[in-house]
């Protein structure tokens, strides 16, 4: 029994001793690998540049992790190694931080520069696009200028700045031209308000020459041509406005009005449909489309459009138009409800409200000017006459 006990103790001692040897070997290997990583870094005090500091940071972190994951029993000289490595890592981290910030600013600036360049491809563009491009170039240049001279990214940033400043100068010229075009558009509107349509056309032509993407100038020039009974020129301007901005309901609506004035109902209907698709809350578009449906003998569709217009017109601001739309819908529905057996030999009379509405449109002749030229069109589609307000930039 005593021999067995002695044997067991001996085995236990051997196991512990063997474990201690294994732990020591693992610690020594960890220290050796850590020192190899440190040697690859070199003297951290002399390191500079983003790439060198970033590589040193990674190597030091790797060495620290290798030691921290080594067996800890019994504790050996790895504690001293860890203390040294952590101090070195702190030195590198302090030097790397401004380099990382400089690199981040540089990369963000390059990305924004690409965005600014793409934004103004395939001109012409409306003023808002040129202004956005100008802001992007200004932000890009400011970000590159903020990179400190002692940074390793400084030379790259300086190499980009000359070209970027040239780009900003070009875009700024377009911004200035677009602003001048807006001013000319507003002067043209003032001449329209005064009834001086020929002079308005000259001024608005100067506006689109300065900025061929100014949709509002084409709309206003179309109005001036229509006021002079130059309907083809008016239609041409509205069509150009659609090419400039096909996502805006305005040119479709105004071209539809011109087609309606000319009695080209199918073409007018197509444009009103598009205008309503783009702006489903435009009350007077439903009102006019209802008249087109009535002219084309689509009575149920006409009644539906007049009903929708009555729902959209504002009670407090447009009570007369709201009542008109309601009366139109009511009268047409009354016609639809007449017993067809009793009236099959009799041509049904037009509702009085329809007659009055058409007379009102003919009398207005689509030449009514806005009561104010400084207010943008509202989504409800209110009228000051039979023609909608035109936009003042």
């Amino acid at each position: 029994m005593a021999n067995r006990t002695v044997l067991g103790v001996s085995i236990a001692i051997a196991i512990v001793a063997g474990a201690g040897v294994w732990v020591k070997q693992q610690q020594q290997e960890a220290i050796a690998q850590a020192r190899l990583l440190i040697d690859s870094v070199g003297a951290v005090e002399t390191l500079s540049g983003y790439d060198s500091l970033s590589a040193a940071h990674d190597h030091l972190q790797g060495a620290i992790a290798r030691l921290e994951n080594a067996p800890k029993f019994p504790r050996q000289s790895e504690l001293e190694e860890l203390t040294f490595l952590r101090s070195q890592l702190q030195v590198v981290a302090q030097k790397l931080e401004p380099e990382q910030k400089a690199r981040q600013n540089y990369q963000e600036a390059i990305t924004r520069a690409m965005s600014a360049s793409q934004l103004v491809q395939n001109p012409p563009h409306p003023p808002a696009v040129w202004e956005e491009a100008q802001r992007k170039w200004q932000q890009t240049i400011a970000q590159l200028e903020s990179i400190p001279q002692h940074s390793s990214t400084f030379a790259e940033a300086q190499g980009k700045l000359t070209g970027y400043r040239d780009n900003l100068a070009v875009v700024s010229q377009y911004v200035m031209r677009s602003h001048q075009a807006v001013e000319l558009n507003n002067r043209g509107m003032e001449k329209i308000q005064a009834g001086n349509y020929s002079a308005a056309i000259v001024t608005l032509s100067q506006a689109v020459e300065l900025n061929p993407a100014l949709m509002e100038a084409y709309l206003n020039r179309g109005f001036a041509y229509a006021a002079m009974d130059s309907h083809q020129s008016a239609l041409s301007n509205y069509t150009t406005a659609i090419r400039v901005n096909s996502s805006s309901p305005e040119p479709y609506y105004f071209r539809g009005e011109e087609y309606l004035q000319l009695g080209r109902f199918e073409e007018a209907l197509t444009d009103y449909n598009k205008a309503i698709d783009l702006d489903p809350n435009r009350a007077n578009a439903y009102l006019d489309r209802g008249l087109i449906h009535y002219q084309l003998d689509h009575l149920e569709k006409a009644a539906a459009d007049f009903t929708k217009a009555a729902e959209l017109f504002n009670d407090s601001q447009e009570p007369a138009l709201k009542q008109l739309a309601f009366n139109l819908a009511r009268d047409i529905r009354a016609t639809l409800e007449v017993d067809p057996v009793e009236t099959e030999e009799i041509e049904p009379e037009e509702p009085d409200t329809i007659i009055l509405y058409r007379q009102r449109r003919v009398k207005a002749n689509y030449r009514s000017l806005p009561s104010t030229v400084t207010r943008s069109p509202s989504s409800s589609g209110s009228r000051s006459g039979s023609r909608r307000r035109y936009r003042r930039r």
Side-chain angles (χ1 to χ4, degrees):
M1 186 69 178
N3 291 334
R4 290 181 181 177
T5 302
V6 172
L7 179 60
V9 171
S10 299
I11 292 173
I13 292 171
I15 291 173
V16 171
V21 171
W22 178 82
V23 168
K24 187 174 182 179
Q25 288 176 344
Q26 293 296 309
Q27 291 173 341
Q28 290 174 345
E29 289 178 6
I31 292 172
Q33 291 179 4
R35 286 175 177 170
L36 285 175
L37 289 171
I38 295 171
D39 291 341
S40 67
V41 169
V44 298
E45 292 78 12
T46 62
L47 290 177
S48 63
Y50 174 81
D51 292 336
S52 297
L53 288 168
S54 182
H57 191 272
D58 292 343
H59 287 161
L60 287 168
Q61 281 189 326
I64 290 170
R66 182 67 183 88
L67 287 177
E68 287 177 339
N69 292 327
K72 297 297 187 296
F73 179 81
R75 301 178 69 85
Q76 295 290 333
S77 58
E78 79 277 2
L79 293 177
E80 297 178 2
E81 294 289 337
L82 277 172
T83 301
F84 172 71
L85 289 175
R86 286 168 180 157
S87 67
Q88 295 290 91
L89 181 63
Q90 185 177 7
V91 172
V92 171
Q94 290 174 346
K95 298 177 73 173
L96 180 60
E97 183 178 359
E99 287 287 347
Q100 287 176 325
K101 181 63 176 175
R103 175 63 58 173
Q104 180 182 351
N105 284 338
Y106 178 81
Q107 291 173 343
E108 289 177 356
I110 297 302
T111 300
R112 189 181 294 107
M114 292 175 61
S115 175
S117 297
Q118 293 171 355
L119 191 63
V120 295
Q121 287 181 357
N122 303 317
H125 300 293
V129 172
W130 290 116
E131 290 166 359
E132 177 64 15
Q134 183 184 51
R135 281 192 295 271
K136 285 180 178 291
W137 282 119
Q138 288 170 339
Q139 292 168 354
T140 296
I141 291 169
Q143 200 159 22
L144 290 178
E145 289 176 339
S146 71
I147 294 175
Q149 187 171 357
H150 58 75
S151 166
S152 62
T153 314
F154 178 77
E156 292 179 86
Q158 292 298 307
K160 296 289 186 182
L161 276 172
T162 300
Y164 288 177
R165 286 169 179 148
D166 290 342
N167 292 342
L168 174 60
V170 172
V171 169
S172 296
Q173 285 292 321
Y174 279 104
V175 170
M176 182 180 67
R177 287 167 63 90
S178 68
H179 288 169
Q180 292 172 343
V182 168
E183 290 302 316
L184 287 168
N185 173 67
N186 292 343
R187 291 179 204 166
M189 290 183 67
E190 293 169 359
K191 293 174 182 179
I192 289 174
Q193 189 180 32
N196 194 350
Y197 302 118
S198 296
I201 289 171
V202 172
T203 301
L204 293 166
S205 297
Q206 293 171 346
V208 297
E209 183 177 352
L210 278 172
N211 185 5
L214 188 60
M215 179 191 72
E216 293 82 358
Y218 293 109
L219 295 180
N220 289 314
R221 193 168 67 174
F223 178 90
Y225 275 121
M228 298 174 65
D229 292 327
S230 297
H231 300 292
Q232 290 305 315
S233 294
L235 289 171
S236 176
N237 274 269
Y238 297 144
T239 300
T240 302
I242 289 172
R243 286 200 299 268
V244 167
N245 187 0
S246 60
S247 63
S248 171
E250 301 289 318
Y252 293 103
Y253 174 75
F254 291 125
R255 192 174 69 173
E257 278 196 330
E258 196 64 29
Y259 282 138
L260 179 56
Q261 169 69 11
L262 295 171
R264 295 163 64 173
F265 299 126
E266 293 289 354
E267 292 162 294
L269 181 60
T270 298
D271 277 347
Y272 276 112
N273 287 339
K274 184 65 174 179
I276 289 172
D277 285 343
L278 293 169
D279 182 7
N281 296 315
R282 195 181 191 112
N284 58 336
Y286 290 98
L287 189 65
D288 288 348
R289 193 175 70 172
L291 179 60
I292 297 172
H293 280 310
Y294 183 83
Q295 297 285 1
L296 296 174
D297 205 28
H298 305 156
L299 298 186
E300 291 185 356
K301 291 182 178 180
D305 275 348
F306 291 141
T307 300
K308 183 66 174 179
E311 293 173 358
L312 291 174
F313 277 123
N314 186 285
D315 286 313
S316 60
Q317 297 178 358
E318 296 148 329
L321 288 174
K322 185 177 183 71
Q323 188 63 48
L324 171 63
F326 176 81
N327 292 344
L328 288 166
R330 178 201 62 197
D331 290 356
I332 292 177
R333 293 192 188 282
T335 300
L336 290 171
E337 292 170 3
V338 173
D339 187 347
V341 176
E342 298 178 3
T343 60
E344 61 182 358
E345 301 297 333
I346 304 173
E347 187 71 23
E349 294 184 2
E350 287 188 324
D352 291 341
T353 313
I354 282 286
I355 297 173
L356 292 173
Y357 180 42
R358 289 198 301 188
Q359 289 174 346
R360 170 179 170 274
R361 293 181 64 84
V362 171
K363 182 178 180 181
N365 199 27
Y366 282 88
R367 302 295 182 263
S368 299
L369 285 173
S371 57
T372 171
V373 296
T374 58
R375 182 179 171 188
S376 296
S378 65
S379 61
S380 65
S382 62
R383 292 169 177 264
S384 59
S386 61
R387 180 171 285 273
R388 283 281 286 119
R389 292 187 181 92
Y390 275 75
R391 186 187 306 271
R392 182 185 182 97
R393 295 289 303 197

